[in-house]
Amino acid sequence: MQAVVDPPWDGDAWRTLARQAWCAGLAPEDLVWDGDPQAMLAAGPALQALPATRPPPRVAADFPALAAAVACHTDPQRFALLYRLLWRMASGQPRLLERASDPDVQRVRMLEQAVRRDSHKMKAFVRFREVPGRDNHYIAWFEPAHRILDRVAPFFARRFAGMHWAILTPYRSVAWEGEALAFAAGATRGDAPADDAQEALWRTYYASIFNPARLNPTMMRSEMPQKYWKHLPEAALLPTLLREAGPRVQAMAERAPEPPRRRIPAPAPEPLQVIEGLDALRDAAAACRRCPLWEPATRTVFGEGPHDARVVVVGEQPGDEEDLSGRPFVGPAGRLLDRALGELGIDRSRLWLTNAVKHFRFEPRGKRRLHRNPDVAHVRACRPWLQQELAALQPDIVVCLGATAAQAVFGSGFRLMEARGRWLPLEAARGLATVHPAWVLRQPDPGAREAAYAGFVDDLRLLVGVGATP
């Protein structure tokens, strides 16, 4: 009898087949698992067609997690080994996994350890490279020893939730666009960027923190095996750093002692004086120097709209066209917002449009200025401007577009995707949070953009009939 696990790294798929085999009374020696060298010679009737003659097996509580890890190993005998263990535990040896001297237990623990070690190395040695011409998109190439991509990908989704990234391996690929993991077929090394502009900065940083006095080449090669060096931009520096370590340590020993340096925090922005009137506030904001963003930006992009507006729309920060024109929401994201407002019958001229951060943050790339999200410090520096805008307008409704705007209004703990599309209480108004139209435009394909846009319009539909429509 033959059992084929599909996909061959799926522990749940193996558990389903193993349960069917046990219930049918198939002994380990009567079953050939996919990946076994004998599998090609033992094609026979389907396992699923056999009738169940006894109840499901009872095994140790930690066995399913063990089986899920071992299923990712590339050993062709792993499924046969797991079934033999299951058979023995269910046949009168319930505490089999506690017998460390048992050959089957020793073998399965060794496979489990190899998968865990490979997973740890993947978390440590994956290096993302920026995709040329695509803001906030990164691709990494990695060659795991085992089929661990499905097992490790959720770690990267949690760690880099704000990035758009993909990890390519020879057998399978995964992509993250901010909401869900999408798995696909394997790729080749040439499908990932070989380098990016940030790697030079990373190499400079790595060289600056390399401590020759703590050099231990044996430990270094143990923790950072040479098979992964081709993924690591800092690996090119290692021969030089190792060669120069001795003279640097000698120079450090001969240098006169210095007192420890104390880290001096950056000064907090000066408190903003209360300014009466939106026009006076606009003039004062034009000369704002509360954070470094004013220097590369063209101008301060203050809010605009009627001074008696009942609805205030808060975006994240001005973009390239806003920075050049000095007006909020005039670029591609602004035009998408106009389209959504038009479909809902909402008159933009009745709204006050502004941003949580008043200066454009960007990264020069040739003749282009690529958008970069503002830091917490930038939002904090700009918060007094937004607070005084809201105090002067005293709106009934505040609409936040994007996570940065929502956190500037509702607080740093606000979770946009958990609270979007419903009324939220504010001190003297009602709040509404939804995605930024730029997020809609960044969706990877027309279908995803259409779905994101429909959700965006549905969120804004709450504004119909509350003072924003004629």
Side-chain angles (χ1 to χ4, degrees):
M1 180 65 66
Q2 183 178 9
V4 179
V5 181
D6 183 27
W9 53 83
D10 190 337
D12 290 337
W14 173 82
R15 287 178 61 192
T16 300
L17 292 174
R19 186 181 299 111
Q20 291 170 339
W22 165 264
C23 293
L26 278 178
E29 57 270 22
D30 296 329
L31 194 56
V32 178
W33 290 90
D34 178 48
D36 191 307
Q38 302 179 55
M40 300 300 294
L41 306 175
L47 176 62
Q48 295 84 343
L50 296 179
T53 59
R54 54 182 172 176
R58 298 178 65 86
V59 296
D62 58 344
F63 184 66
L66 173 66
V70 172
C72 298
H73 202 284
T74 53
D75 186 332
Q77 298 292 335
R78 62 194 182 285
F79 293 133
L81 171 63
L82 288 171
Y83 187 65
R84 191 160 60 246
L85 285 166
L86 180 147
W87 182 273
R88 294 176 61 188
M89 284 188 287
S91 300
Q93 302 180 55
R95 306 184 69 175
L96 174 61
L97 294 180
E98 299 176 12
R99 292 164 52 183
S101 60
D102 184 275
D104 281 347
V105 174
Q106 286 183 349
R107 179 63 181 165
V108 80
R109 293 298 185 192
M110 188 174 68
L111 299 185
E112 179 196 28
Q113 185 178 16
V115 169
R116 294 191 188 282
R117 187 184 303 116
D118 201 34
S119 301
H120 171 73
K121 299 301 183 187
M122 183 174 178
K123 294 174 184 176
F125 299 131
V126 158
R127 292 291 186 273
F128 290 102
R129 267 87 175 185
E130 189 169 17
V131 180
R134 299 192 67 186
D135 185 30
N136 199 34
H137 281 69
Y138 300 84
I139 294 179
W141 169 254
F142 194 73
E143 298 174 49
H146 305 288
R147 294 165 177 146
I148 57 172
L149 186 62
D150 293 58
R151 185 177 182 82
V152 182
F155 163 82
F156 290 97
R158 294 190 298 271
R159 186 78 176 270
F160 303 108
M163 290 170 37
H164 294 191
W165 53 260
I167 300 175
L168 312 182
T169 80
Y171 82 100
R172 192 161 165 83
S173 304
V174 61
W176 170 262
E177 291 291 344
E179 293 187 347
L181 292 167
F183 291 92
T188 63
R189 177 68 182 87
D191 295 324
D195 199 352
D196 70 18
Q198 297 184 17
E199 292 195 359
L201 180 62
W202 167 248
R203 283 192 287 267
T204 301
Y205 171 73
Y206 185 84
S208 71
I209 64 171
F210 183 83
N211 186 350
R214 301 182 63 182
L215 178 62
N216 184 336
T218 301
M219 181 64 72
M220 175 184 291
R221 291 188 177 92
S222 173
E223 295 298 321
M224 191 166 65
Q226 286 181 274
K227 63 179 288 189
Y228 299 112
W229 286 20
K230 57 188 174 185
H231 304 304
L232 309 178
E234 65 269 27
L237 301 173
L238 293 179
T240 301
L241 293 173
L242 294 174
R243 188 171 56 251
E244 296 176 349
R248 289 181 61 189
V249 171
Q250 184 175 357
M252 292 167 64
E254 295 173 350
R255 192 162 54 214
E258 298 177 358
R261 288 180 292 180
R262 184 167 57 90
R263 182 176 180 181
I264 302 175
E270 292 291 331
L272 188 66
Q273 295 181 346
V274 176
I275 301 172
E276 298 293 340
L278 286 166
D279 292 335
L281 198 60
R282 180 194 305 275
D283 293 342
C288 180
R289 302 292 185 267
R290 293 172 59 81
C291 78
L293 292 185
W294 70 271
E295 194 165 9
T298 305
R299 73 194 78 213
T300 301
V301 181
F302 198 69
E304 70 172 20
H307 290 196
D308 60 348
R310 308 319 310 145
V311 179
V312 170
V313 178
V314 183
E316 297 186 332
Q317 68 159 338
D320 187 74
E321 293 187 38
E322 287 82 0
D323 173 77
L324 296 175
S325 66
R327 297 184 57 211
F329 289 99
V330 295
R335 290 190 283 275
L336 188 72
L337 175 64
D338 289 347
R339 175 187 161 193
L341 295 176
E343 291 181 10
L344 295 170
I346 298 174
D347 186 357
R348 168 175 168 144
S349 66
R350 296 169 65 91
L351 311 179
W352 181 269
L353 301 173
T354 189
N355 283 293
V357 174
K358 310 299 186 190
H359 283 117
F360 178 34
R361 189 187 190 201
F362 61 91
E363 177 181 317
R365 187 71 58 84
K367 296 181 179 179
R368 302 179 59 200
R369 303 190 300 175
L370 301 183
H371 170 277
R372 289 189 61 193
N373 290 330
D375 290 341
V376 173
H378 305 139
V379 177
R380 187 184 302 125
C382 258
R383 183 173 291 122
W385 298 114
L386 178 61
Q387 290 173 333
Q388 293 210 38
E389 274 183 290
L390 295 176
L393 289 161
Q394 296 187 357
D396 298 325
I397 294 171
V398 178
V399 182
C400 300
L401 304 182
T404 299
Q407 291 175 357
V409 172
F410 295 105
S412 59
F414 187 83
R415 297 291 179 265
L416 175 62
M417 302 312 282
E418 297 175 4
R420 63 174 287 191
R422 64 173 186 262
W423 291 120
L424 302 164
L426 287 172
E427 186 174 350
R430 287 190 294 173
L432 170 65
T434 184
V435 297
H436 196 280
W439 178 82
V440 177
L441 294 173
R442 287 198 299 267
Q443 296 307 300
D445 57 69
R449 280 193 292 277
E450 184 177 350
Y453 177 73
F456 177 58
V457 172
D458 281 345
D459 291 343
L460 293 180
R461 200 180 303 279
L462 289 178
L463 298 177
V464 176
V466 294
T469 50

